[in-house]
Amino acid sequence: MVHVNIFDTTLRDGEQSPGVNLNQLEKLEIARQLERFGVDIMEAGFPASSQGDFEAVRAIARTIKNSSVTGLARATKSDIDIAWDALKDAAEPRLHVFIATSPIHMQYKLMKTPEQVMQTAVDMVSYAKQKFTHVEWSAEDASRSELDFLVQIITKVIDAGATVINLPDTVGYTTPEEYGRMFRYIRENVPNIHKAALSCHCHDDLGMAVANSLAAIENGVTQVEGTINGIGERAGNASLEEIAVALNIRKDRYPYTTNLVLKEIKRTSDLVSRFTGMKVPGNKAVVGKNAFAHESGIHQDGVLKNALTYEIITPEMVGVQSNDLVLGKHSGRHAFKDKIEHMGFELSQDKLNEAFTAFKQLTDRKKEVTDEDLFTILIDIQTAAVDVKKYDLVAFQVQYGSANLPTATVALTTPEGIKVETARTGSGSVEALYNTLEALIKEDIYLTDFNLSSVGSGRDALAEVHVKMTVNGTNVSGRGSAQDVLEASAKAFINAVNRVFLNHTISVKEPAI
Ligand code: KIV
Ligand code: ZN
C-alpha cells in the first residue's frame, strides 16, 4: 500500500471563498479539528496578505503539534520572510511558495518571460531553503502549462531544494485522464523527481476536482490537497472528505493509505460550515443531510432487509450519530461536562460555567436539547473573544403588529464601555432592529446578505443567522444563534461588526481548549 499525505487548505484556499471571513479564534478551532481529523499538513493562511492572517498563522503554528503547519507565499523575498516569522515556532515549519507557469499567466498576469519565471522560481526556492527545511513549490495553472517547460522548471527547483512539487489545476479545467497523464509525464521526464514528492491541487469549476485528484494519485502523486466541504475560490477545491471516503470504500481500486480518522469527518464538516456560513447542500456526497436518507419505498424496503442494498457508506463511518437525544432539564454539571467532552469540546473552567448556564437556560425553553443545539451553543462560547474592546448587546425590544409600523429599541455598550440606547422603525421587524443597531454603531455599515435557518427541526428549534456586510469598507461576515429569530439576527449583526476589531486585536493568551 502506498501512503498518501493529506494537505488541507481550508484555512487558506477555503477562506478565499467569497464572503468568508474567519477570525483567529475560529481559525484555531478549525485547525485543532483538522489535527484531530489527522491531516498531515495544514495550510493555515497567507501570512503576507494581512496582519490578521499573519497572526492567525502564527497562533496556529504555535498551537498545532501533530500536523505540519504551512503558509503560502508569492515568489518574493518579503513574502518568504513574513511567512518565516509566522511559521518559525511550528513543530515542523513548512513553506508553500508559488509562481504561475502557464503562457497566459506568465504573459498577462506576471508580464514575465518563461526564462524570468524560471529564474525567479529557482532564486526564491533557494532563498526559502535558507530558512525552511520543507519547501513546497507550486506551478500555478500547471494544467494549462507547457509540459516541456514544466519539466525544465521542476528539475531546477528540485536542484534548488524544493521537497514537494505541486501541480495545481488552478482553474478547474483539466480532465482525470489529462491530469493523470501530466503527472506520468513529469515522473518519466524530470531526472531528479525522486528527490521530491508530487502533489495535486484541484479546483472544481467543471465538477471534476475529486475525480482529478484520484487520477493524480493513481499516477504517482503522494500528496493530495483540498478543503473540507470543498469550499474555496469560485466553485471550490477538491473535497477532502470525499477523497478520504472514496479511498476507503474503494480500497479494491485504490490501494492507498492516509492518516485520516474518518469518524471525525462530520464534526470537521459541521465546524467549517458553521464558522464560514457556507451551508452544506443536502445532497452533498458524504456530509450532506440526505447522504444517508432513504426516501423511496423500494429503497427503504431494501435497506431494512440489508443496508448494503442501497448504502455504501455507513453514517457511523463518518461520525454521524443516530442517537443524538441529549441531556434534559435535570442533568447535572458532571453529565454535561462528560457529554461535551464526548462531542470533542474541552472548555476552560470559565467557559464551561458559561456553557452550563446557557444549556440550563435552553432547557427551560426547549423540551429536548439535541447534539446540534449543544454544538451551536458551544462553538459560540468557545470562540467568543474575552478581554477585547467590542460592541455588546445589552437588551432590545421589537414591537410588531400587522397594522403597525415595526419599531425596535436597542441598548448596547460601545467598545469604549459607554452604554447607548435608541429606537428606530423599519418596514419589517429585522429591518427596524438593524436600522436601530446602525444608528447606535458609529461605523460605516452596509448589509449585503442575510440568511436565516433553523438548527434541527421542531417549532422550538434554535435559529441561526449568518450575515455579510461591509464595515468601514472591509468585507465581514457574522453569525448569531438564539431561540428567537430576532435575537439571533441582532447577535449576527453585532458579531459581524466586532470582527473588524477582533481580526486585528485578539491575541491568544491561552488556548481556548
Ligand atoms: O489553485 C492554485 O493554483 C493555488 C496555488 C496558490 C497553489 O491555490
Ligand atoms: Zn487553489
Side-chain angles (χ1 to χ4, degrees):
M1 297 276 258
V2 174
H3 186 79
V4 175
N5 276 339
I6 301 295
F7 177 119
D8 177 277
T9 181
T10 305
L11 295 171
R12 198 276 299 170
D13 224 344
E15 219 231 356
Q16 284 174 223
S17 308
V20 171
N21 179 266
L22 300 168
N23 70 30
Q24 191 176 306
L25 294 173
E26 291 163 340
K27 286 184 184 173
L28 262 171
E29 273 319 301
I30 292 177
R32 288 193 179 97
Q33 180 58 28
L34 290 171
E35 184 181 35
R36 207 174 290 156
F37 182 31
V39 306
D40 301 281
I41 300 140
M42 66 177 81
E43 187 162 47
F46 181 177
S49 67
S50 70
Q51 185 63 21
D53 232 35
F54 174 87
E55 281 166 21
V57 173
R58 191 174 53 183
I60 292 169
R62 289 176 176 174
T63 306
I64 299 300
K65 296 289 167 256
N66 297 320
S67 306
S68 178
V69 178
T70 189
L72 187 68
R74 286 163 296 195
T76 68
K77 286 187 176 174
S78 71
D79 269 29
I80 295 169
D81 290 342
I82 295 171
W84 174 247
D85 280 344
L87 290 159
K88 62 183 177 217
D89 298 333
E92 192 188 76
R94 184 178 283 258
L95 182 74
H96 179 189
V97 59
F98 76 100
I99 192 162
T101 52
S102 62
I104 186 168
H105 276 236
M106 290 191 288
Q107 183 178 351
Y108 294 101
K109 188 183 80 170
L110 298 178
M111 291 184 286
K112 283 186 187 241
T113 63
E115 292 69 34
Q116 288 170 322
V117 167
M118 185 130 46
Q119 195 56 54
T120 309
V122 169
D123 290 348
M124 289 308 108
V125 170
S126 309
Y127 184 73
K129 276 302 271 194
Q130 295 169 17
K131 300 167 191 283
F132 292 89
T133 313
H134 306 276
V135 174
E136 168 169 334
W137 177 79
S138 283
E140 191 189 12
D141 207 17
S143 56
R144 293 192 300 166
S145 302
E146 284 167 7
L147 282 175
D148 288 330
F149 180 61
L150 282 181
V151 168
Q152 287 177 46
I153 194 167
I154 291 171
T155 309
K156 291 197 172 193
V157 295
I158 293 177
D159 278 342
T163 49
V164 177
I165 300 297
N166 181 39
L167 301 180
D169 181 29
T170 302
V171 292
Y173 178 77
T174 200
T175 68
E177 196 276 327
E178 280 170 357
Y179 198 50
R181 190 156 22 94
M182 175 182 75
F183 282 105
R184 210 162 48 239
Y185 190 86
I186 296 302
R187 280 177 58 211
E188 286 167 1
N189 290 281
V190 172
N192 52 0
I193 198 68
H194 57 282
K195 293 188 182 160
L198 270 175
S199 168
C200 65
H201 175 117
C202 297
H203 283 265
D204 207 29
D205 299 65
L206 295 176
M208 291 194 276
V210 169
N212 287 338
S213 306
L214 293 170
I217 294 173
E218 287 185 294
N219 283 281
V221 155
T222 53
Q223 173 176 295
V224 60
E225 304 193 357
T227 60
I228 303 301
N229 299 338
I231 66 168
E233 289 261 27
R234 307 182 310 277
N237 289 59
S239 165
L240 280 181
E241 68 281 2
E242 290 180 22
I243 294 172
V245 172
L247 291 178
N248 185 284
I249 297 289
R250 296 303 311 274
K251 291 191 207 55
D252 57 324
R253 167 89 208 197
Y254 301 118
Y256 309 101
T257 55
T258 71
N259 288 327
L260 293 176
V261 181
L262 298 191
K263 67 178 176 38
E264 291 293 338
I265 285 180
K266 175 77 168 78
R267 188 176 195 275
T268 318
S269 164
D270 282 351
L271 214 55
V272 169
S273 161
R274 289 293 176 83
F275 285 152
T276 58
M278 294 186 72
K279 295 238 168 313
V280 174
N283 64 338
K284 160 94 171 60
V286 178
V287 287
K289 258 201 158 56
N290 301 343
F292 305 102
H294 302 281
E295 182 71 22
S296 87
I298 295 176
H299 287 206
Q300 286 174 353
D301 179 56
V303 169
L304 285 175
K305 287 176 175 149
N306 180 342
L308 292 178
T309 49
Y310 287 100
E311 205 171 75
I312 61 163
I313 315 167
T314 63
E316 294 75 31
M317 173 188 276
V318 297
V320 174
Q321 314 271 2
S322 47
N323 56 335
D324 84 337
L325 215 64
V326 294
L327 318 164
K329 214 175 170 55
H330 304 293
S331 306
R333 184 179 290 268
H334 191 73
F336 179 75
K337 188 163 180 279
D338 274 0
K339 176 72 193 175
I340 68 173
E341 279 173 8
H342 184 69
M343 291 173 72
F345 292 92
E346 282 172 44
L347 302 181
S348 65
Q349 195 53 47
D350 285 354
K351 292 206 172 194
L352 179 66
N353 293 344
E354 199 184 327
F356 189 64
T357 308
F359 161 70
K360 282 289 178 190
Q361 279 166 357
L362 195 60
T363 57
D364 283 342
R365 295 182 179 187
K366 202 169 182 294
K367 229 170 48 206
E368 286 169 351
V369 177
T370 63
D371 279 14
E372 259 181 314
D373 296 328
L374 268 187
F375 190 80
T376 307
I377 299 176
L378 291 167
I379 60 168
D380 281 354
I381 290 174
Q382 193 162 45
T383 55
V386 281
D387 300 338
V388 171
K389 288 188 167 51
K390 57 185 180 19
Y391 289 96
D392 275 318
L393 184 65
V394 177
F396 76 95
Q397 189 179 345
V398 177
Q399 274 163 343
Y400 176 84
S402 55
N404 299 343
L405 191 59
T407 308
T409 310
V410 178
L412 50 79
T413 50
T414 67
E416 296 74 37
I418 300 164
K419 187 170 171 204
V420 289
E421 188 170 339
T422 197
R424 289 287 186 280
T425 58
S427 47
S429 306
V430 174
E431 200 197 1
L433 183 61
Y434 279 13
N435 286 345
T436 317
L437 286 165
E438 255 182 61
L440 288 174
I441 296 174
K442 299 286 169 240
E443 317 292 336
D444 188 14
I445 298 171
Y446 181 67
L447 182 75
T448 54
D449 195 28
F450 174 91
N451 187 292
L452 167 68
S453 53
S454 74
V455 177
S457 51
R459 64 172 71 186
D460 60 355
L462 285 181
E464 188 168 54
V465 170
H466 282 97
V467 292
K468 289 182 186 150
M469 54 173 75
T470 57
V471 180
N472 303 335
T474 304
N475 290 328
V476 285
S477 53
R479 186 184 83 248
S481 60
Q483 203 167 27
D484 179 80
V485 293
L486 291 173
E487 187 176 338
S489 305
K491 284 182 171 172
F493 191 100
I494 294 172
N495 179 268
V497 172
N498 280 334
R499 264 163 215 263
V500 173
F501 307 102
L502 301 186
N503 280 346
H504 302 292
T505 55
I506 291 178
S507 68
V508 181
K509 294 191 199 109
E510 45 149 358
I513 63 169

